[in-house]
Amino acid sequence: MSGMASDHNNSSQEEYIPHSLQKEDPFASKLSREADIIAGFYLTIIGILSTLGNGYVIFMSSKRKKKLRPAEIMTVNLAVCDLGISVVGKPFSIISFFSHRWMFGWMGCRWYGWAGFFFGCGSLITMTAVSLDRYLKICHLSYGTWLKRHHAFICLAIIWAYATFWATVPFAGVGSYAPEPFGTSCTLDWWLAQASVAGQVFVLSILFFCLLFPTAVIVFSYVKIILKVKSSTKEVAHYDTRIQNSHILEMKLTKVAMLICAGFLIAWIPYAVVSVWSAFGRPDSVPIQFSVVPTLLAKSAAMYNPIIYQVIDCKFACCRPGGLKAKSSWKKSRTYTISAHRDSTAMNETQLE
């Protein structure tokens, strides 16, 4: 009898059909109407704040685009990714939550899934590049002397190509985009891992190249920075005031970058954990009501950066018309960029409190 039960379980595992292919409507909301309305209002607030915050960064940056330094260019790219998530993706899910079902069919589902993954991947890879910039600038001092604007644009091209490749791979028949179990949003079809070995390879590849590897680089960079700072604190104390101020500035900027990365990862890791469990765990073992919470948390990631900058009282240099001007009689705000040059020109442009 136990053998028959085991055979039955194995066969049911092999014959598992993802929710998006079952007979019931995959786009009908599995949540209560009240829960959908609450989620709709939540995403509306997140979308407005994210659009205003990141839009302001981009708008003010465009006024001095020819004066942007390499690190500022990378920060603007992060704002572009966050704004893209808010403008391109959120209206679809907001309308669907208020309508109590996904309103845009399979074509809209695939577009929404692609856009969300594209901009999300772009954000994470941009932060990976930023963490490497911080690591090289703090731990390898000669790095800052050769980095020019064209290097930043080359890096941007690589970031966008990387995000485009991985977001488009599902359209090549390797994977797919599908509705979430609760019906009113779409994402990568994590449930393909339940169906075949090819699906498992697809999901594992996405997890490694678009989450685990970038996260490992970020963690490595900031761990090395922390160790370097601990070992060089006494050494810096013997330098002159200009070098000490430059070191303090780099540390403040590094803390900003660390907070940005931490905010992004805190928002996305719960969603990644639930997705992996859905892909490789027992079929339908994640309750539908539970799966919506990590999804909503991940969608809030685009809002965090402007809030982080304000909380730590930082202002982005490229968000101030005409740049930063020396006014010794006034209290100066900290810079909002992810990086700054160590030379005297940068120190003249950036004022510490």
Side-chain angles (χ1 to χ4, degrees), residues 228-304:
K228 179 67 175 179
V229 170
K230 287 185 176 180
S231 64
S232 63
T233 301
K234 294 182 179 179
E235 180 182 350
V236 172
H238 297 290
Y239 294 159
D240 59 34
T241 303
R242 184 181 65 83
I243 296 178
Q244 290 180 11
N245 289 341
S246 177
H247 180 77
I248 293 172
L249 174 61
E250 295 292 350
M251 290 302 98
K252 290 182 183 295
L253 300 176
T254 301
K255 291 176 182 178
V256 174
M258 291 176 68
L259 285 173
I260 292 171
C261 294
F264 185 91
L265 293 177
I266 289 173
W268 279 98
I269 285 180
Y271 178 78
V273 170
V274 171
S275 298
V276 171
W277 186 264
S278 299
F280 298 101
R282 188 165 50 85
D284 298 328
S285 58
V286 179
I288 292 178
Q289 291 76 9
F290 178 77
S291 67
V292 71
V293 177
T295 301
L296 294 177
L297 180 62
K299 292 179 185 298
S300 68
M303 178 193 69
Y304 291 164

Side-chain angles (χ1 to χ4, degrees), residues 298-329:
K299 292 179 185 298
S300 68
M303 178 193 69
Y304 291 164
N305 293 348
I307 293 178
I308 289 173
Y309 297 133
Q310 294 301 320
V311 167
I312 61 177
D313 193 27
C314 289
K315 290 186 178 180
F316 194 11
C318 66
C319 291
R320 299 181 64 181
L324 298 176
K325 298 180 180 180
K327 295 181 180 180
S328 58
S329 61

Side-chain angles (χ1 to χ4, degrees), residues 63-260:
K63 292 188 175 183
R64 57 185 300 269
K65 56 185 176 182
K66 294 183 179 180
K67 298 180 181 180
L68 294 178
R69 296 191 295 270
E72 295 174 328
I73 294 173
M74 297 299 295
T75 307
V76 173
N77 187 66
L78 183 59
V80 170
C81 292
D82 290 342
L83 183 65
I85 293 174
S86 300
V87 173
V88 176
K90 282 189 174 58
F92 286 81
S93 54
I94 291 172
I95 293 172
S96 296
F97 273 115
F98 282 126
S99 301
H100 199 49
R101 66 173 289 110
W102 179 259
M103 299 295 294
F104 306 97
W106 279 104
M107 185 66 71
C109 182
R110 294 186 180 98
W111 160 251
Y112 176 87
W114 180 92
F117 186 46
F118 173 73
F119 288 114
C121 182
S123 294
L124 182 57
I125 302 304
T126 299
M127 285 185 285
T128 304
V130 166
S131 69
L132 285 174
D133 171 84
R134 294 285 81 218
Y135 163 68
L136 293 172
K137 182 152 289 187
I138 299 296
C139 301
H140 301 276
L141 301 181
S142 60
Y143 162 76
T145 62
W146 62 265
L147 183 65
K148 306 299 180 184
R149 280 172 60 95
H150 70 274
H151 292 123
F153 287 116
I154 291 174
C155 187
L156 289 185
I158 294 173
I159 290 171
W160 288 112
Y162 192 92
T164 301
F165 173 79
W166 285 108
T168 309
V169 160
F171 292 131
V174 180
S176 181
Y177 293 101
E180 299 269 15
F182 51 86
T184 47
S185 181
C186 293
T187 184
L188 282 167
D189 194 347
W190 302 103
W191 302 270
L192 286 174
Q194 298 280 358
S196 66
V197 175
Q200 294 177 0
V201 172
F202 164 72
V203 170
L204 289 174
S205 298
I206 291 292
L207 287 173
F208 179 78
F209 289 104
C210 300
L211 179 63
L212 297 180
F213 176 69
T215 301
V217 173
I218 291 172
V219 172
F220 167 82
S221 299
Y222 291 123
V223 168
K224 295 292 288 184
I225 288 171
I226 292 172
L227 295 176
K228 179 67 175 179
V229 170
K230 287 185 176 180
S231 64
S232 63
T233 301
K234 294 182 179 179
E235 180 182 350
V236 172
H238 297 290
Y239 294 159
D240 59 34
T241 303
R242 184 181 65 83
I243 296 178
Q244 290 180 11
N245 289 341
S246 177
H247 180 77
I248 293 172
L249 174 61
E250 295 292 350
M251 290 302 98
K252 290 182 183 295
L253 300 176
T254 301
K255 291 176 182 178
V256 174
M258 291 176 68
L259 285 173
I260 292 171

